[in-house]
Amino acid sequence: MSKTVDAPVILSNEPGSFARSVLAERHPALIERVRGAFPYGPGQHRALDALLTESAEGVIGPLGPGAPDRDQWAEWGRGYFGRSWFDVPFLWAESYFYRKLLEAVGYFAAGPWQGIDPFRPFKQAELHTEEAAAELTALDRLALRPVGEQAQALLYGSLWGNRADLGFSMTPGGRAAAGAESPLIADDSASLWSLLPAGGPNTVCLVADNAGRELVPDLLLVDHLLRHHHAELVTLHVKPYPYYVSDAMAADVIDCLLHLKRADGVAGVVGKRLWEWIGRGRLTVRTHAFFCAPLPYADMPEDLRQEFADATVTIMKGDLNYRRLVGDQLWPPTTPFAERTAYFPGPVAALRTLKSDVIVGLDERTEASLVAAHDQRWRTSGTHALIQARR
């Protein structure tokens, strides 16, 4: 495991910190949501009660003796067991919480609950809202715009996920402009597009973040890349099992494709075309156990490293991937993005809405303006976003 000591690793033991609120408030609330999502039996309820007590008041305990990955987590968590959840690295504690939640509901154990995604009802609900329907309807209007504007709008749609307006008009003073007064505080989209010239033999790895209404605009962007030959091949990387509430798995990709195919207008056409892209091998869905590891991408295994090395560009979606890409540490915000991703085996881009403390790649003026206007809340509120790229 890599050891980086030039910036403090984020823990959860500072009163009032975002990391502490996740462990102390978000995780207990999530346990109760999961408890009510399925008709679990007494065994699952007891296990959820035990996890609630352990994660809030107790110390970190090992996985059960029958867990298939018990030894792996014992290695990843060496030195952490027996300590407070709040006193170990935030990234590790979050990841292990979700792994223990799966153990509590019997996801990996033989029996009727094996393989049942405890977060599936939440993911499904996101696809069937008025907002989701409006976003798909916006595609009909967007299709009337010039292709270049479509490309940029779809890129921003993927960035903003469920808050995206796919039909917005690109103007110099609109969301496209980055800076301290804009919700888009860094915008390397021109650099990203320069990596993917139309007609080139380009391959893209897109490492997905959330399912539901965030995955849909990701798929819309993928369709545009393939249709307009910015990419000849796209690999969509998803999680191998449920993780971080709404992270996308292969089953979620299928749900989104079916949702698109059943839609009216342009959305339905795109859904059918994506289905065909998969059948023709131009779009591949893939996963890797490392995507659920509590480790930075600097520690990725060789097979995954080689896959990213072979890609024209790897696009990392979302906050968790960003934390793992640059390191879940309190870097000075002006630390260059290229410096923190120098280890990455090929060109890489990050599309991220800010929902945690980690941030790099800002200029001093932007950082100062953000702090003056919002204190440090801009780091975690989800109101700001960035596109960063390194060739």
Side-chain angles (χ1 to χ4, degrees):
M1 188 181 301
S2 65
K3 301 289 186 181
T4 305
V5 295
D6 47 345
V9 173
I10 296 176
L11 308 177
S12 307
N13 55 10
E14 181 180 343
S17 68
F18 173 77
R20 186 174 185 86
S21 73
V22 170
L23 267 63
E25 300 169 20
R26 184 181 300 178
H27 286 179
L30 177 60
I31 289 174
E32 295 310 311
R33 285 189 71 194
V34 167
R35 190 194 302 274
F38 288 100
Y40 290 124
Q44 278 100 346
H45 285 291
R46 285 193 295 271
L48 290 169
D49 287 340
L51 178 58
L52 181 61
T53 300
E54 177 189 316
S55 60
E57 305 170 9
V59 297
I60 301 168
L63 294 174
D69 51 353
R70 176 186 169 98
D71 291 344
Q72 178 66 83
W73 276 99
E75 173 63 26
W76 286 336
R78 183 172 298 177
Y80 300 157
F81 295 101
R83 297 172 62 184
S84 167
W85 287 75
F86 296 88
D87 292 337
V88 302
F90 178 43
L91 177 64
W92 189 93
E94 270 198 294
S95 297
Y96 192 55
F97 170 83
Y98 284 102
R99 177 59 189 86
K100 294 208 81 171
L101 182 60
L102 293 184
E103 181 175 68
V105 299
Y107 183 86
F108 291 109
W113 295 102
Q114 187 175 38
I116 301 297
D117 181 356
F119 311 130
R120 182 172 174 79
F122 317 143
K123 298 173 180 178
Q124 287 283 297
E126 283 192 357
L127 291 175
H128 302 286
T129 62
E130 292 182 2
E131 292 84 357
E135 287 164 4
L136 295 188
T137 300
L139 290 174
D140 295 335
R141 301 190 301 274
L142 185 61
L144 302 176
R145 305 303 296 268
V147 170
E149 289 189 13
Q150 292 181 40
Q152 195 72 352
L154 290 168
L155 179 64
Y156 287 140
S158 179
L159 168 66
W160 286 102
N162 63 10
R163 298 197 301 114
D165 175 5
L166 297 179
F168 71 87
S169 176
M170 300 299 299
T171 60
R175 188 180 269 171
E181 300 307 316
S182 168
L184 188 55
I185 61 174
D187 186 2
D188 291 345
S189 56
S191 179
L192 174 56
W193 286 119
S194 73
L195 290 166
L196 298 171
N202 304 316
T203 60
V204 173
C205 287
L206 195 158
V207 184
D209 185 32
N210 293 325
R213 288 173 62 199
E214 180 172 337
L215 185 57
V216 167
D218 292 346
L219 291 169
L220 299 177
L221 176 62
V222 166
D223 173 71
H224 186 92
L225 295 176
L226 292 171
R227 185 185 179 202
H228 294 281
H229 299 284
H230 290 284
E232 291 306 303
L233 300 171
V234 174
T235 300
L236 180 65
H237 289 273
V238 295
K239 302 295 191 299
Y241 54 79
Y243 197 59
Y244 277 65
V245 187
S246 57
D247 281 25
M249 304 188 300
D252 303 311
V253 176
I254 296 169
D255 286 343
C256 288
L257 290 173
L258 290 172
H259 179 66
L260 284 169
K261 284 183 67 178
R262 293 166 182 158
D264 296 327
V266 171
V269 174
V270 172
K272 295 178 178 67
R273 195 161 53 223
L274 283 162
W275 199 276
E276 293 173 0
W277 292 139
I278 293 176
R280 292 166 54 185
R282 291 191 64 193
L283 172 58
T284 301
V285 181
R286 194 167 297 171
T287 190
H288 196 289
F290 184 76
F291 292 132
C292 291
L295 305 174
Y297 280 106
D299 293 334
M300 74 181 87
E302 185 56 37
D303 58 340
L304 193 58
R305 180 179 296 275
Q306 187 58 55
E307 185 159 354
F308 292 153
D310 292 341
T312 304
V313 63
T314 297
I315 300 174
M316 294 284 184
K317 274 298 308 292
D319 197 77
L320 176 59
N321 277 323
Y322 189 87
R323 292 163 61 191
R324 298 181 69 189
L325 179 65
V326 305
D328 202 36
Q329 297 168 243
L330 292 174
W331 306 106
T334 54
T335 303
F337 179 75
E339 176 184 305
R340 290 305 315 139
T341 58
Y343 71 89
F344 203 83
V348 63
L351 274 61
R352 177 215 182 188
T353 302
L354 277 62
K355 299 176 183 176
S356 67
D357 288 306
V358 178
I359 184 71
V360 298
L362 299 187
D363 60 69
E364 292 182 2
R365 180 178 178 181
T366 297
E367 182 202 358
S369 297
L370 286 165
V371 172
H374 308 286
D375 194 20
Q376 297 296 334
R377 293 186 301 276
W378 58 275
R379 293 174 178 252
T380 60
S381 63
T383 56
H384 293 80
L386 56 79
I387 299 174
Q388 293 174 324
R390 192 222 75 201
R391 300 185 68 88

